[in-house]
Amino acid sequence: MSDPDSIHSCWLGGKVTDRAHDADQAVRAIIGLTLLPHPIPAPDVYQTLAELEDLAFALDRVLRHHLERALDASLTSYQVHDRRDPQTSVANARNRLDEAANHVYLAGRAMSAARAEIADQGYDNTPVEVTR
């Protein structure tokens, strides 16, 4: 018979993986849309950066706190096996997650600074005359 908590954890783990996949696909869709040779007005870039900044800070929290805590809990909840010492593997993974979180946090800060640079821009729908 399976442990109900274990079944719930596996279901939850799958849902977390699904949401990470959805986030990846959303970013890939943004890449596809911004490959088009059309300009995007600063106010729209500003709002897009705001959303991506929120994503960066949320990802920082997920990496630094939630996934680290989940890894620690897995050591006491499951019979973890690894070709190395599981405790060492988790400790090393935590260090790498912290490193990744630091980079993501800095990316969020840089996006905030970029938004500040274009905060006052507006635009008219009037076409710009091309002069050469």
Side-chain angles (χ1 to χ4, degrees), residues 71-112:
L71 277 175
D72 287 339
S74 75
L75 291 174
T76 58
S77 300
Y78 301 107
Q79 294 178 4
V80 177
H81 51 85
D82 190 335
R83 61 181 165 80
R84 300 165 294 170
D85 173 50
Q87 301 275 354
T88 301
S89 297
V90 166
N92 291 340
R94 286 179 58 101
N95 290 338
R96 297 297 179 241
L97 288 171
D98 232 23
E99 182 181 344
N102 288 336
H103 288 291
V104 172
Y105 175 80
L106 291 174
R109 297 278 310 265
M111 285 183 263
S112 177

Side-chain angles (χ1 to χ4, degrees), residues 125-131:
N125 280 331
T126 311
V128 174
E129 301 262 329
V130 177
T131 58

Side-chain angles (χ1 to χ4, degrees), residues 16-92:
V16 170
T17 300
D18 289 347
R19 296 297 71 83
H21 175 77
D22 293 345
D24 172 57
Q25 292 303 302
V27 170
R28 288 176 185 273
I30 293 168
I31 291 169
L33 291 169
T34 55
L35 285 175
L36 298 173
H38 305 292
I40 301 173
D44 292 338
V45 171
Y46 180 92
Q47 189 56 44
T48 301
L49 285 172
E51 299 299 333
L52 292 173
E53 180 185 339
D54 287 348
L55 176 62
F57 292 134
L59 186 55
D60 169 47
R61 283 190 310 278
V62 166
L63 294 171
R64 194 180 309 274
H65 303 291
H66 303 279
L67 291 180
E68 286 182 4
R69 187 174 57 235
L71 277 175
D72 287 339
S74 75
L75 291 174
T76 58
S77 300
Y78 301 107
Q79 294 178 4
V80 177
H81 51 85
D82 190 335
R83 61 181 165 80
R84 300 165 294 170
D85 173 50
Q87 301 275 354
T88 301
S89 297
V90 166
N92 291 340

